[in-house]
Amino acid sequence: MPSRLIRFNKPYGVLSQFTPEGRWRGLKDFIDIPGVYVAGRLDADSEGLLLLTNDGQLQARIADPRFKMEKTYWVQVEGVPTEEALAALREGVQLNDGLTRPARARLLDQPPAVWERQPPIRERKSIPTAWLELAISEGRNRQVRRMTAAVGLPTLRLIRASIGPHTLDGLAPGTWLE
């Protein structure tokens, strides 16, 4: 059977599994292809690139942290990042499960050209927000959110833009391409 790789732009509120649970929708609402499985995870409250494949070896290469496939995220945070906060993200942040690997982190001058989130994030008039681009090569549970919180910048919105060479290019939320 030929190896298949599917890029999917996972909307907010969708699980990284085919079966819905509670208030969260499942992938079966969007992808009706037998024999493909998710390579890696993306929390229901995160959006963006999710890869699916029917190839177990490819799935392992994408998902296993030993292969250090870099994942890039666009992160809308509450507050304005200081150079110290960005430096801490670049050096590695102490979390309750240990020190993270160094990340690539930069403040984006402009918000990325992305879709409106449904439902919209909560915005507070008195607290500014900013967008970061953060690239990591490990995948701990809710790692990006925990990293930004550790440097005093709570995550409001999280979008995975790429996994290795695979990007969101050409994908509207809820759509996929093989």
Side-chain angles (χ1 to χ4, degrees), residues 108-124:
L108 296 176
D109 296 333
Q110 297 290 317
V114 294
W115 53 93
E116 289 295 316
R117 196 187 90 176
Q118 293 305 323
I121 63 158
R122 64 175 169 78
E123 293 211 35
R124 297 193 280 188

Side-chain angles (χ1 to χ4, degrees), residues 41-62:
R41 301 192 65 75
L42 195 56
D43 295 323
D45 55 357
S46 299
E47 306 162 75
L49 186 63
L50 193 61
L51 298 177
L52 298 94
T53 183
N54 63 347
D55 179 331
Q57 288 182 320
L58 178 58
Q59 183 183 22
R61 275 198 308 277
I62 293 166

Side-chain angles (χ1 to χ4, degrees), residues 100-113:
T100 65
R101 289 185 186 144
R104 284 192 305 109
R106 70 183 181 101
L107 179 63
L108 296 176
D109 296 333
Q110 297 290 317

Side-chain angles (χ1 to χ4, degrees), residues 9 42 45-49 71-77 104-115 117 121 130-136 144-145 148 154-163 166-171 173:
N9 186 347
L42 195 56
D45 55 357
S46 299
E47 306 162 75
L49 186 63
K71 295 164 184 73
T72 302
Y73 298 85
W74 294 323
V75 191
Q76 187 177 16
V77 295
R104 284 192 305 109
R106 70 183 181 101
L107 179 63
L108 296 176
D109 296 333
Q110 297 290 317
V114 294
W115 53 93
R117 196 187 90 176
I121 63 158
W131 283 89
L132 303 177
E133 184 176 82
L134 193 61
I136 61 173
V144 171
R145 291 174 190 279
T148 63
T155 293
L156 297 172
R157 188 173 180 196
L158 181 60
I159 300 170
R160 184 158 56 201
S162 68
I163 301 170
H166 310 288
T167 70
L168 273 178
D169 293 350
L171 289 174

Side-chain angles (χ1 to χ4, degrees), residues 86-106:
L86 292 170
L89 293 169
R90 291 179 192 125
E91 290 162 17
V93 177
Q94 186 65 48
L95 302 177
N96 60 0
D97 56 354
L99 190 66
T100 65
R101 289 185 186 144
R104 284 192 305 109
R106 70 183 181 101

